[in-house]
Amino acid sequence: MKETLLHTPEGVRDVYGDECRRKNQLLRDIHHVLHLYSYHDIETPSFEYFNIFNMEKGSAHSNEMYKFFDRENNTLVLRPDFTPSVARCVAKYYADEELPVRLCYQGKTFKNTLQHQGKPSITTEIGCELVNDDSSAADAEMLSCVIDILRASRLTEFQIAIGEVDFFKGLMEEAGVSIEEENEIRDLIQARNFFGLSEYVDNLELPEHTLQALSGFDRLIGGPETFDIAEEYTENRRALEAVERLRKVYSALQLYGYDKYISIDLGMLNGYDYYTGIVFSGYTYGTGDAIVRGGRYNDLMQQFGKDAPSIGFAVDIDALMTSLNHQQILPLSPIDRTLVIYPVEYQEPAVTLAKRLRNADIKTELIRKSTRHALTEYLAYADRNRVYKVFYFLSETKILVSDRLAKEEKEMNFADLMEEEL
């Protein structure tokens, strides 16, 4: 029984030690970038009413949510997605605000996925939402923020694929296909089954240029030349406006000097019913899935009573950590701690030293030495826990100072140490 209690359920795991320190440092680095873009922090509950996240709002499927009941028998769910929660808050607290609202968040999301998919049930996310700005400039700045975040994580090789769901919706309007046929075409595009797509649409009665577009969807992935190809494929106004908007976003990103990180993918249709315009995903080596996802969702806020255009993204911290580990570019957490060790009879000067170190903003661990452990054991403990300097009281007035980085030791007078600049 005790052995069973040491294990976690399927889909979740412990994060501890150096991995936990590095993860928290990565979150701090990303949070700093979000603040540079003037996003303000918001915290939403870990669980909310089921209707906040149901399919009408465009979030997770019902069978992917962890559900439970309160005392009044209301159905509650653990948060599978931050965006609906933030949308609810904006509709409640910023109902009359017409100028941009910038909010950022970090925390856990919970999804009850099939275990054979190999995906975690709990994911750490950090992201932001920009409300009340429907411009292509806002789309570009959102992508710029994503790129700055990935650069702050020390990634050097990554790509942000951008698409426009209105391009596909415009093609479907032009084609005049049924809902069932549209869903089949969409699924084939999402699966990148372009051979199957060509074979399927050949059996439909479609306008010739629409047939060419769907049969050649693999050509709609690439660089800025993709815009010209897309415009040749359609005469639908909605689709053409979507392409033109992406051109504007791309041009703005050139002003940032970030176009080298951008690729065009007009077959990106993830969250098709959720998003209303630009969609994007970030990829790098070391993970098979996106490390960041986002897009524009201009209709979501209406579900909560506020008509406001919105765009946002979320970084999957766990996937990003995996990528950084794989590429061996994730820095170790800083070695920035000290350790003060003292025999019981020297507690008073030890406490005095620890207080001085902490007042100097130096992380300090204070340990009363046990007779059961030798000093060498404490020094090994310091090395395991990324301590850069150890202070050991030899007497009330003498201290052994062990510099673990320089691998040097020296004895000092306690009075002299207290007068040194730390």
Side-chain angles (χ1 to χ4, degrees):
M1 180 63 182
K2 289 183 178 179
E3 185 177 342
T4 302
L5 291 175
L6 295 177
H7 296 281
T8 60
E10 289 290 330
V12 299
R13 69 183 185 91
D14 300 310
V15 180
Y16 64 97
D18 198 56
E19 180 186 8
C20 191
R21 288 190 288 269
R22 290 185 296 178
K23 182 175 182 177
N24 287 333
Q25 183 60 51
L26 182 60
L27 284 165
R28 286 191 291 270
D29 292 341
I30 294 174
H31 207 168
H32 177 66
V33 175
L34 290 169
H35 285 173
L36 290 177
Y37 277 77
S38 198
Y39 286 92
H40 306 283
D41 295 316
I42 188 171
E43 291 185 9
T44 63
S46 297
F47 60 87
E48 299 207 40
Y49 292 118
F50 169 71
N51 284 338
I52 297 295
F53 302 103
N54 67 17
M55 282 303 294
E56 184 182 350
K57 306 294 188 297
S59 190
H61 290 276
S62 175
N63 62 359
E64 293 180 349
M65 300 185 201
Y66 286 99
K67 306 184 192 72
F68 55 102
F69 302 95
D70 64 13
R71 293 185 179 184
E72 284 71 45
N73 212 34
N74 295 305
T75 304
L76 306 176
V77 297
L78 291 175
R79 173 182 58 219
D81 178 11
F82 271 98
T83 301
S85 291
V86 176
R88 174 189 58 76
C89 289
V90 172
K92 181 177 181 180
Y93 303 114
Y94 300 88
D96 299 324
E97 181 59 75
E98 296 181 357
L99 291 175
V101 176
R102 296 168 178 258
L103 299 172
C104 62
Y105 57 81
Q106 70 178 57
K108 308 289 188 184
T109 57
F110 308 84
K111 287 190 177 179
N112 190 14
T113 54
L114 294 172
Q115 294 309 315
H116 67 78
Q117 293 178 348
K119 295 182 179 180
S121 298
I122 301 179
T123 303
T124 302
E125 292 186 1
I126 184 168
C128 64
E129 314 293 340
L130 172 56
V131 182
N132 286 337
D133 192 337
D134 194 26
S135 67
S136 59
D139 295 352
E141 194 195 57
M142 186 65 66
L143 288 162
S144 170
C145 184
V146 170
I147 292 167
D148 280 339
I149 280 173
L150 296 183
R151 294 175 68 200
S153 75
R154 298 184 71 236
L155 276 180
T156 56
E157 297 186 51
F158 61 87
Q159 279 288 300
I160 310 296
I162 63 174
E164 248 280 4
V165 297
D166 270 348
F167 176 76
F168 178 77
K169 290 178 179 179
L171 284 183
M172 294 299 95
E173 286 178 358
E174 193 172 31
V177 295
S178 67
I179 294 296
E180 292 76 15
E181 291 167 338
E182 178 179 332
N183 289 338
E184 180 65 24
I185 292 171
R186 183 190 67 198
D187 291 345
L188 288 166
I189 292 173
Q190 282 186 293
R192 293 296 193 257
N193 185 359
F194 298 121
F195 178 80
L197 174 64
S198 179
E199 191 175 57
Y200 180 78
V201 299
D202 279 344
N203 295 318
L204 302 177
E205 295 183 3
L206 300 177
E208 182 59 30
H209 56 278
T210 305
L211 182 61
Q212 289 179 356
L214 294 174
S215 297
F217 229 89
D218 55 331
R219 297 183 61 207
L220 298 179
I221 303 171
E225 70 283 352
T226 305
F227 299 135
D228 295 331
I229 298 171
E231 287 173 338
E232 293 174 0
Y233 277 159
T234 181
E235 297 175 357
N236 178 269
R237 180 178 176 181
R238 184 177 187 178
L240 291 173
E241 286 178 351
V243 175
E244 181 57 28
R245 185 177 177 104
L246 276 189
R247 279 189 189 273
K248 292 178 180 178
V249 172
Y250 189 84
S251 295
L253 287 167
Q254 288 178 310
L255 298 178
Y256 286 96
Y258 286 167
D259 51 300
K260 65 181 179 181
Y261 297 110
I262 300 296
S263 59
I264 315 302
D265 183 355
L266 291 174
M268 187 187 302
L269 300 174
N270 293 336
Y272 177 70
D273 296 321
Y274 188 82
Y275 294 114
T276 58
I278 190 171
V279 289
F280 51 87
S281 297
Y283 298 92
T284 187
Y285 303 109
T287 180
D289 206 356
I291 53 177
V292 57
R293 295 184 189 275
R296 181 163 288 282
Y297 51 95
N298 286 352
D299 296 337
L300 178 62
M301 207 71 67
Q302 295 176 17
Q303 306 282 351
F304 300 98
K306 180 179 174 68
D307 188 5
S310 310
I311 184 172
F313 67 82
V315 180
D316 184 333
I317 292 297
D318 304 293
L320 179 55
M321 286 277 292
T322 299
S323 300
L324 292 168
N325 257 336
H326 181 83
Q327 297 180 43
Q328 299 182 335
I329 60 173
L330 183 64
L332 293 172
S333 56
I335 302 176
D336 59 356
R337 301 171 61 225
T338 62
L339 175 60
V340 177
I341 310 169
Y342 65 95
V344 62
E345 61 267 29
Y346 308 133
Q347 182 175 20
E348 182 177 347
V351 168
T352 301
L353 175 59
K355 286 178 63 178
R356 179 155 189 257
L357 290 165
R358 289 166 182 158
N359 288 337
D361 204 29
I362 297 172
K363 298 172 185 175
T364 302
E365 182 176 357
L366 184 63
I367 299 181
R368 188 178 73 184
K369 185 179 181 300
S370 169
T371 56
R372 297 193 305 272
H373 298 289
L375 176 60
T376 53
E377 294 180 75
Y378 287 100
L379 294 177
Y381 168 85
D383 293 337
R384 291 196 302 273
N385 288 276
R386 308 190 64 71
V387 170
Y388 75 92
K389 192 170 288 187
V390 176
F391 302 92
Y392 176 63
F393 278 80
L394 299 168
S395 70
E396 194 167 12
T397 59
K398 288 284 186 181
I399 294 180
L400 176 68
V401 181
S402 177
D403 189 321
R404 309 310 293 168
L405 295 179
K407 300 186 183 306
E408 295 177 350
E409 291 186 349
K410 62 179 179 180
E411 290 187 16
M412 292 187 66
N413 289 323
F414 176 62
D416 293 339
L417 178 62
M418 293 297 287
E419 292 179 1
E420 272 195 357
E421 183 177 346
L422 296 176

